[in-house]
Amino acid sequence: VAWTDAELHVSRVDTEGKTKWSSKGVTAGVFDHRARLVATPDDGVAVAASLASGDGRSIRVVAINAAGVVLLDKTIKAKWPVIVSGLTTAPTGLVLTGQATKAPNVARPWALLLNASGSKLLEKTTDEDGQWASALTTQTGLVVADRRLVDGVGQLRLLGTDGAGNEAWAEQYGTKGASLSLASVDALVSWPNGELALLGVADTGLDKRIHVVRTDPWGHASCAAAGGCAAKDGIACADLNPCTLDACDGVGGCTHKAAANFAVCGVGKV
């Protein structure tokens, strides 16, 4: 992916580095942040990036099929000025994650769910400091990853949501002692049974090291063969009630907390 002041250029190459197709001249505006690229289920690609507009709320989303044909080229307005730092596919379309500036010097984690035509399905932020650096879809909702400072030491965090973006669970991962601080979130992947792996970089002050955390579907760090939740499939705790937040308690039991301010649950609904 490359861009000029007025154009976005996307090329696909084979394993030998030969160009299979190149889509040039897609009107994209001026990027103010590095473009994010993800492979799509139709063997194509999608690209998303923040644009340098007057209010900082514009996001450009482009989808290209396996033959290099542009299927979608759309500018979307976020509710707040945003920086896009993550892009993943979802059953309904695309999920963008990053950071929203809700007020001067007030940066918050942010996520946007789009359908296949680029229309908004959900836009979500929280009241915490930080940035959702990466995200993926699960059998029951979303999992987002970020880095947080705890007493001056960087730690990685996973946060699981239901299908409407309500927080269902959150887990934080650090290292023993303050001499090793986690500096970044670089990748988040999942297995078919819902288990997760989070990749980051740890800074010792003298060098940087790869740091990997493997968890069950609810963020409990454990070996795949240990722990009650590690033995459960990712949808094992789903009660099919849209007004509850389903999770595993870490020892094999399911929890179903009432979802606060859940848009689906109005008066008379449970």
Side-chain angles (χ1 to χ4, degrees):
V1 181
W3 59 89
T4 64
D5 284 348
E7 293 180 334
L8 175 69
H9 303 265
V10 182
S11 296
R12 180 167 179 171
V13 299
D14 61 21
T15 54
E16 296 179 348
K18 297 178 181 179
T19 301
K20 297 181 69 174
W21 53 256
S22 184
S23 182
K24 299 180 180 180
V26 179
T27 303
V30 181
F31 285 95
D32 65 2
H33 195 65
R34 184 162 59 96
R36 302 297 173 177
L37 179 75
V38 66
T40 53
D42 63 356
D43 204 30
V45 296
V47 183
S50 309
L51 298 182
S53 64
D55 58 8
R57 295 168 51 213
S58 295
I59 304 163
R60 197 73 181 187
V61 177
V62 179
I64 303 171
N65 69 12
V69 177
V70 176
L71 303 178
L72 174 70
D73 183 5
K74 189 172 184 178
T75 299
I76 299 163
K77 281 284 189 178
K79 292 181 181 178
W80 311 276
V82 298
I83 293 176
V84 178
S85 58
L87 175 65
T88 189
T89 58
T92 53
L94 296 170
V95 179
L96 287 68
T97 54
Q99 188 176 71
T101 303
K102 299 185 71 174
N105 300 317
V106 179
R108 297 290 185 257
W110 167 87
L112 176 67
L113 177 62
L114 304 175
N115 65 15
S117 64
S119 298
K120 286 186 188 181
L121 298 178
L122 172 72
E123 187 170 9
K124 178 78 173 179
T125 187
T126 73
D127 292 328
E128 302 174 309
D129 291 330
Q131 175 176 341
W132 285 338
S134 184
L136 56 80
T137 55
T138 67
Q139 295 162 304
T140 56
L142 295 173
V143 174
V144 294
D146 64 9
R147 171 188 174 272
R148 309 185 66 75
L149 282 176
V150 180
D151 297 327
V153 178
Q155 293 191 337
L156 305 183
R157 185 181 71 153
L158 289 178
L159 185 149
T161 78
D162 59 22
N166 295 300
E167 180 181 330
W169 56 263
E171 296 288 340
Q172 217 154 262
Y173 318 96
T175 55
K176 295 181 179 179
S179 61
L180 195 62
S181 180
L182 296 172
S184 66
V185 177
D186 294 281
L188 175 64
V189 298
S190 67
W191 282 267
N193 67 352
E195 291 179 9
L196 305 165
L198 180 62
L199 173 68
V201 174
D203 191 345
T204 67
L206 299 175
D207 58 15
K208 289 182 169 60
R209 305 174 184 177
I210 295 173
H211 188 79
V212 180
V213 180
R214 182 167 180 171
T215 80
D216 65 23
W218 297 273
H220 303 113
S222 65
C223 296
C229 291
K232 286 183 178 292
D233 188 86
I235 59 172
C237 286
D239 64 0
L240 304 182
N241 183 346
C243 302
T244 61
L245 302 176
D246 307 319
C248 182
D249 60 12
V251 293
C254 293
T255 61
H256 308 285
K257 297 179 183 178
N261 302 319
F262 198 119
V264 175
C265 299
V267 176
K269 296 182 180 180
V270 295

